[in-house]
Amino acid sequence: MVIRGDGRNVIPEGGTGPAHQAGEPYIVSSGACTPEGTGGSAIDPNSTAIFLLQSKDEVLMVREGPGGRRIHMDGRGHPDLTRLTPSLYGHSIGHYEGGALVVETVGLPEGAVQGGGRRRPATRLTERFQLSPDGKRLAITYTWDDPVIYVRPHTYQYSFERLPPESYAFETWCDSSDPTQRQSIVPPKQAQ
Amino acid sequence: MGAVLLAAATGWSAAAIAQGRTATPPDISGYWELPLDGRRIPPARLAPGVTPAKLRAEANKNAKAIRWCNWVGMPTTMDVGRPLDMRQGPREIVILAESPVTPVRHLYLDRTTHISKDIFDSTTSGDSIARWDGDTLVVDTTGFEPTHGVTAIPGGGFRTATSHLVERYRLLRNGAMLSVTFTWTDPAVFATPHSYEFRYQRVEPGYEARPYPRCDPFDTERAAFLEGAR
C-alpha cells in the first residue's frame, strides 16, 4: 500500500490490484473533514443525532457539526433553477398538511440516492415528517421524483427515536491535518 | 439502515419548558448581520502570565486551524462575515452560521446548571445555558476545548479550558438590531474580565442563505497563500 500526495488516496501498489485486505488502512472519504469531504448531499441523516427547531418562518435541521439545513416556512417558492447554485442541502420549502410537515427540495448536486437512485439539481425531493401519536418517534418519508431518472417516484422511509429530555448536542471533531482521523479500517471478514 | 437515528425535536413539543417565566420573552429568531461599525472592542487587560511566546503559540495554532479547515468554534462563530441564523424554540436557541467550518451553537433554556465535567467532553463551542432576565437573554458558557479551532478572542487573549463566557443578548431599535455583550473571565488569561459588544442588524425577510463557500484543506494554492503569510 502507498499513500500518495496529500494522503487522500490510498492506492494499491501499481495503481491497480486486488481489493483492500482486512486490517489494511484505507481512506473512507475524500479526506477532508468539511461537509463536502464527507460526500453525499447531507440530506440523508447519518448515525449522529439530528436536531429540529421550529420558528415561525423557518425550520432548522442541524447535526453535530458545522452547517445545517433551512426549511423555509414563510410561503416563498423555489428560486429559478437556472439561478440556483446546487448545494449540500439544496433549497427547501415546507408547509403543514394536517399534522405532517411536508418539505419540497430542489437544487441538490448530482449524486447518489439511497436504494440505488440518482439525483440532479432538477430532481424533486419531497419529505413528509410525521410524529407518532405519543411524540416519541418521527418518521420521514422520502420521495424522489424526476422523469429523466425514475420510471416512477422512488420512496423510502427513515424512523427516528426522540432523545431523552435531558439530552444535549455533541460537537464532532475532525482534523484534516491528521491522516489517522481520515482513515478507517477494512473490517475483518464476517463469520457466516 | 443500521443505527436508529435520534431526534431531539426541540421545537416539536408544544409545551413551554422554561420555568418561572412571567411574561413572554422577546423572540430573537431571524438572520443577523454584523456590519463594519457593529463592533466595540476595547483592548483586553491580559494576565501577567500571558507572555509574547504564549501569544505567538496561540497565533500559530489558530493559523493551522484555518489552514486545515478545522471547526473554528467560539468566539469566531459570532463573527464569520456572513449573517447568523438564530432560531428560538421553547427548549433552546440555535445559532447557525453560513460557514462550512463553524459548529452549530445550542443555547439551552431548559436547564440551570452546566453538564457535569465528569461526562462533558469539552468542545470549541462549550456548554451553553441560557435564561431570560427581563428583556435580556443571558447565556453562560463553560467547557471550552483549548486546543481545537480558532481560540483568539477579540481585543486580545484566547480561550482556554478555564474560560467562562457570559453573553447578554438584547433587542434594540424595535427589534431591528441585536446587541450582544460578551464578557470573558479567565484568571489564566485576563487580569480583569474582558467585555466587548457586537451590534447585529436584522436581515430583511425573504433572505436566502447562500451555499457555504468551500474550504478545501488540500487546495495547494490556498495552502501556499496561507503559509506564505505566516
Side-chain angles (χ1 to χ4, degrees):
Chain A
M1 304 286 288
V2 291
I3 298 179
R4 288 185 180 168
D6 54 33
R8 275 179 290 186
N9 305 306
V10 178
I11 303 166
E13 204 84 56
T16 58
H20 301 289
Q21 298 299 302
E24 287 182 339
Y26 75 111
I27 305 298
V28 294
S29 72
S30 72
C33 295
T34 50
E36 297 89 349
T38 61
S41 71
I43 280 288
D44 285 328
N46 59 14
S47 56
T48 64
I50 59 169
F51 298 85
L52 298 171
L53 196 144
Q54 293 181 128
S55 68
K56 67 179 190 305
D57 49 9
E58 187 176 287
V59 173
L60 271 186
M61 187 172 178
V62 299
R63 296 195 289 183
E64 297 183 327
R69 184 178 172 205
R70 299 170 175 85
I71 300 166
H72 299 294
M73 304 291 291
D74 58 359
R76 76 181 71 182
H78 293 301
D80 190 319
L81 267 180
T82 60
R83 299 176 57 197
L84 185 62
T85 304
S87 63
L88 290 172
Y89 298 98
H91 187 270
S92 298
I93 54 178
H95 66 278
Y96 286 97
E97 286 181 9
L101 170 65
V102 179
V103 180
E104 186 182 272
T105 301
V106 296
L108 294 164
E110 292 199 12
V113 165
Q114 298 286 354
R118 301 288 302 173
R119 58 175 155 69
R120 59 185 184 131
T123 304
R124 190 168 300 270
L125 167 64
T126 303
E127 294 155 283
R128 195 173 179 88
F129 295 64
Q130 181 78 58
L131 268 181
S132 62
D134 63 4
K136 292 181 178 176
R137 299 187 73 83
L138 174 69
I140 306 180
T141 304
Y142 299 78
T143 301
W144 297 86
D145 196 1
D146 187 337
V148 172
I149 297 175
Y150 300 103
V151 293
R152 61 176 179 274
H154 171 49
T155 297
Y156 54 89
Q157 188 181 81
Y158 283 2
S159 179
F160 300 76
E161 290 178 357
R162 190 191 289 273
L163 285 169
E166 68 274 16
S167 302
Y168 58 91
F170 295 134
E171 182 181 297
T172 58
W173 175 255
C174 178
D175 182 355
S176 296
S177 72
D178 180 355
T180 63
Q181 292 197 15
R182 299 181 263 118
Q183 290 182 339
S184 186
I185 303 294
V186 179
K189 190 174 180 181
Q190 300 296 303
Q192 297 300 312
Chain B
M1 57 188 294
V4 174
L5 298 175
L6 304 171
T10 56
W12 291 87
S13 168
I17 298 172
Q19 295 173 351
R21 269 189 343 223
T22 53
T24 304
D27 187 349
I28 63 169
S29 296
Y31 288 90
W32 297 97
E33 189 164 34
L34 189 59
L36 206 55
D37 59 354
R39 301 166 182 82
R40 188 174 58 81
I41 308 172
R45 290 189 57 215
L46 299 178
V50 181
T51 61
K54 219 173 222 183
L55 291 171
R56 272 197 303 276
E58 286 294 322
N60 287 336
K61 191 172 66 183
N62 293 339
K64 179 174 179 285
I66 291 169
R67 154 70 182 86
W68 285 98
C69 302
N70 291 159
W71 307 167
V72 291
M74 284 296 286
T76 309
T77 296
M78 299 301 287
D79 186 4
V80 293
R82 284 187 171 198
L84 294 173
D85 190 0
M86 299 187 190
R87 297 293 154 183
Q88 184 171 327
R91 187 194 169 206
E92 66 167 308
I93 294 170
V94 168
I95 300 179
L96 174 62
E98 286 179 39
S99 158
V101 293
T102 304
V104 176
R105 289 191 73 193
H106 298 263
L107 318 179
Y108 291 101
L109 292 157
D110 64 343
R111 56 183 160 90
T112 55
T113 56
H114 287 290
I115 298 162
S116 165
K117 287 178 182 171
D118 295 337
I119 61 169
F120 185 73
D121 292 325
S122 58
T123 64
T124 65
S125 301
D127 175 44
S128 298
I129 52 178
R131 63 181 172 81
W132 285 98
D133 180 8
D135 62 354
T136 301
L137 176 73
V138 182
V139 182
D140 188 295
T141 305
T142 60
F144 291 108
E145 162 58 52
T147 62
H148 291 168
V150 175
T151 56
I153 292 172
F158 46 89
R159 73 165 138 80
T160 73
T162 52
S163 294
H164 179 203
L165 171 64
V166 176
E167 295 157 279
R168 297 178 69 86
Y169 294 66
R170 196 159 53 93
L171 289 171
L172 305 175
R173 297 192 183 178
N174 210 21
M177 181 177 280
L178 177 67
S179 162
V180 184
T181 301
F182 304 81
T183 300
W184 290 87
T185 307
D186 187 344
V189 176
F190 300 110
T192 57
H194 172 51
S195 291
Y196 55 93
E197 181 182 359
F198 288 172
R199 289 190 169 188
Y200 300 86
Q201 289 178 354
R202 188 186 288 279
V203 179
E204 291 177 4
Y207 173 75
E208 290 280 0
R210 289 170 290 163
Y212 307 126
R214 185 171 165 75
C215 189
D216 183 0
F218 304 110
D219 180 338
T220 52
E221 189 180 339
R222 171 183 172 278
F225 167 73
L226 290 172
E227 288 169 353
R230 289 165 72 179

